[in-house]
Amino acid sequence: MTNRAISSFPSSPVGYVFRPTDEELVNHYLRLKMHGGYEQEVSIIAEVNVCDFEPWVLPGLSTYQSNDPECYFFCPRSYKYVNSHRANRTTAAGYWKVTGKNRIIKAKSTKEPIATKKTLVFYENRVPNGVKTDWVMHEYHPIFSFHNQRDFVLCKLKKYPDENMPTFEESESSSNVPHGFGNQNPTVRNYPLIFEEGGHTAQMASNLANNRLEEDINQLRTQLESFRGFDDGDYDLNSALQFSPGSYM
């Protein structure tokens, strides 16, 4: 990490939340960072090459520490090859993958485009055996430029609890996204169970089949109980259903 901050923000004041809008991130923080000479004004956001670290380590590198589920970084542009504009998004343990459609960020007052926002999801391991995680990052790429500008993007990192993970539309290859930000210890990975590609879908289908079977058994039991003299021991419900494994799949 380079030039972590001019000011120190060891912890946030009670009730303090740093949650700038997309326009504020771009038109204030990123613009001043690219100009240079405004380090005090933008020092609340650390300068970090995010691909030098795993996502679960990055929250500990934030300039200020709070219970906020989001943290922000200025990231120098890093390219995969010399004389190439293809971004390098690999880490030692995995890679960041662009997913969904780019969004255009516009200035509220003028409606002029000022940046594009990319959504990335972190996958552990290497292609094609990557395992998706619940770490999501937004990259803000400025549309504006000026003389002698410094080359940065602004990154917003968040870890989603599994049940709150948004659904993204893939823009590359054929994987879906998931997952969260709960562990406040940046050196320990503490995220929910992750399934291999397709495993999560199979588990959901199996649970659905079991639920449907249980509902049918309960309905049959209700019907049988409506007859006089019903004795639970006189009936074999599984035989009555003529259930065979996989019939509900």
Side-chain angles (χ1 to χ4, degrees):
M1 182 173 63
T2 62
N3 190 21
R4 183 163 173 174
I6 299 298
S7 300
S8 176
F9 298 86
S11 61
S12 300
V14 174
Y16 176 83
V17 175
F18 179 66
R19 197 166 294 168
T21 65
D22 285 348
E23 181 182 0
E24 290 168 340
L25 285 173
V26 175
N27 251 356
H28 179 75
Y29 291 100
L30 185 54
R31 185 183 292 272
L32 293 181
K33 184 68 173 179
M34 292 170 62
H35 266 295
Y38 297 91
E39 295 306 312
Q40 183 66 36
E41 287 82 352
V42 300
S43 60
I44 194 171
I45 299 179
E47 180 182 327
V48 178
N49 189 333
V50 296
C51 288
D52 285 348
F53 304 92
E54 309 311 328
W56 46 87
V57 176
L58 287 171
L61 303 179
S62 177
T63 302
Y64 73 99
Q65 299 296 307
S66 75
N67 291 326
D68 230 10
E70 299 172 348
C71 51
Y72 304 84
F73 302 98
F74 292 119
C75 181
R77 290 183 187 265
S78 177
Y79 300 108
K80 198 165 188 178
Y81 306 107
V82 179
N83 299 326
S84 168
H85 289 289
R86 185 177 180 184
N88 179 21
R89 295 192 174 99
T90 59
T91 71
Y95 58 95
W96 289 98
K97 180 178 178 180
V98 177
T99 188
K101 297 178 180 179
N102 293 346
R103 294 182 57 190
I104 301 297
I105 307 301
K106 296 181 178 181
K108 187 175 181 179
S109 59
T110 65
K111 308 301 181 184
E112 292 293 324
I114 56 176
T116 58
K117 181 168 73 171
K118 297 179 181 291
T119 299
L120 300 92
V121 175
F122 188 75
Y123 285 69
E124 289 194 271
N125 300 329
R126 290 288 181 258
V127 178
N129 300 315
V131 178
K132 55 199 171 185
T133 74
D134 38 9
W135 290 97
V136 176
M137 184 166 64
H138 289 151
E139 278 186 356
Y140 296 84
H141 294 254
I143 292 176
F144 52 78
S145 61
F146 32 81
H147 183 63
N148 291 333
Q149 71 181 32
R150 302 194 298 170
D151 209 6
F152 286 97
V153 295
L154 195 152
C155 300
K156 178 169 70 174
L157 178 73
K158 184 172 183 176
K159 186 173 188 289
Y160 284 88
D162 189 40
E163 64 274 13
N164 295 331
M165 184 65 181
T167 301
F168 296 102
E169 186 178 313
E170 289 293 326
S171 62
E172 297 179 4
S173 93
S174 60
S175 18
N176 291 323
V177 183
H179 302 11
F181 192 104
N183 182 19
Q184 295 302 315
N185 183 347
T187 61
V188 179
R189 288 176 290 168
N190 182 23
Y191 43 75
L193 177 65
I194 297 171
F195 296 92
E196 293 291 340
E197 200 75 40
H200 199 179
T201 301
Q203 182 67 36
M204 291 177 63
S206 176
N207 291 340
L208 179 61
N210 291 336
N211 290 339
R212 290 176 58 190
L213 173 61
E214 185 176 352
E215 290 176 2
D216 285 354
I217 291 176
N218 289 335
Q219 290 177 5
L220 180 59
R221 184 181 294 276
T222 300
Q223 293 173 0
L224 291 175
E225 287 176 345
S226 66
F227 293 97
R228 297 179 60 183
F230 167 73
D231 182 355
D232 191 273
D234 293 337
Y235 296 89
D236 183 346
L237 293 180
N238 285 333
S239 297
L241 284 170
Q242 296 184 342
F243 170 72
S244 61
S247 61
Y248 286 84
M249 296 297 289

